[in-house]
Amino acid sequence: MTPQQTLRQINKLTETLVGLSLSNEQNFPTTHGNLNAAFEITVRNATSMSIALKNVAYREIYAELEQARCFNFKMLDGALVSLRYRFRARVISEHSLSYLPSPDLEHFQNEPQLYLEDEIYADVIAKNIVPFPIRFDFSDDAAKFVDVHHPHSHLTLGQYENCRIPVSSPLSPLSFGGFILRNFYNNAFRKYSDEIPVSTLTFDETITAKEQRILHLECR
């Protein structure tokens, strides 16, 4: 995938979520650099994202990012979604794709009758739900790569420092968006499945033979 194709997918995903009323706040992506050299597709106030890597309470991370409006879109249940990509000479070099649910769902769970008729909420009103962040990271930096232990492309669940589940390749914006909708807003996903865009465009595989022999995610 090229930088232009990636940018178009982010814009398409944002427009779709807003059009389907699945998001009520959004920031279209900003870009920096030269398409033929170093090029970045990022979010508003991206410098605030550094707090997500600090050893602070998740509630504090969420509050700072929400206040700074550091997200591509905010779902109706408060979840913040951000997509950032970097390219070098039109080839992807890095990405960080994150889903940060609201740490406080009590207002949904204590008054479920207010939300039962809306598919977007059906997946978040159960009392036993525990919100946790997920992040898909990719880097082509050879200095960071350690086979199996630190894959080029990996999924982190929660804020566990050493949780790096191998992923076969970098994720496209529409693949990431589809993953979030299918798994965390499944009722809405099924209702609007015909209107949610998909794409056959992918990035090249980066997974190693050793990583393929352990539990991993395959993106095709």
Side-chain angles (χ1 to χ4, degrees), residues 36-190:
N36 295 312
F39 186 74
E40 181 178 23
I41 304 170
T42 188
V43 296
R44 179 177 178 177
N45 299 326
T47 54
S48 298
M49 289 297 293
S50 61
I51 190 175
L53 302 177
K54 297 179 180 179
N55 185 23
V56 298
Y58 176 61
R59 188 176 296 272
E60 183 178 339
I61 294 172
Y62 176 93
E64 181 165 329
L65 295 177
E66 182 185 36
Q67 183 176 5
R69 291 186 57 81
C70 185
F71 53 82
N72 286 83
F73 36 87
K74 183 178 181 181
M75 305 298 282
L76 294 184
D77 62 346
L80 308 180
V81 180
S82 68
L83 303 91
R84 296 181 296 150
Y85 289 83
R86 288 179 177 170
F87 294 82
R88 189 185 305 110
R90 296 181 175 270
V91 176
I92 188 170
S93 61
E94 187 177 338
H95 77 41
S96 181
L97 315 174
S98 63
Y99 169 74
L100 304 174
S102 172
D104 184 7
L105 295 176
E106 288 185 2
H107 58 294
F108 294 96
Q109 296 168 339
N110 290 341
E111 300 183 73
Q113 67 277 7
L114 298 179
Y115 308 102
L116 281 173
E117 294 183 359
D118 196 327
E119 288 82 358
I120 187 67
Y121 300 110
D123 298 300
V124 298
I125 60 174
K127 293 282 188 180
N128 59 352
I129 288 178
V130 179
F132 67 96
I134 68 169
R135 194 178 69 246
F136 285 90
D137 288 325
F138 169 75
S139 174
D140 68 353
D141 189 344
K144 294 180 180 179
F145 170 75
V146 180
D147 199 6
V148 174
H149 299 292
H150 199 299
H152 284 297
S153 186
H154 60 268
L155 166 64
T156 296
L157 302 175
Q159 295 292 89
Y160 289 92
E161 180 180 0
N162 294 307
C163 175
R164 302 186 187 97
I165 301 167
V167 181
S168 62
S169 67
L171 261 65
S172 71
L174 291 182
S175 292
F176 175 64
F179 176 87
I180 296 300
L181 292 172
R182 180 185 297 274
N183 291 288
F184 299 102
Y185 305 94
N186 188 259
N187 284 19
F189 178 81
R190 285 185 290 173

Side-chain angles (χ1 to χ4, degrees), residues 8-23 26 28 73 75 174 181 192-198:
R8 282 196 293 269
Q9 283 200 13
I10 296 176
N11 285 329
K12 182 63 175 177
L13 179 61
T14 305
E15 292 166 0
T16 298
L17 293 178
V18 173
L20 295 176
S21 297
L22 300 180
S23 167
Q26 61 283 327
F28 281 90
F73 36 87
M75 305 298 282
L174 291 182
L181 292 172
Y192 299 119
S193 60
D194 291 340
E195 301 174 66
I196 296 172
V198 295

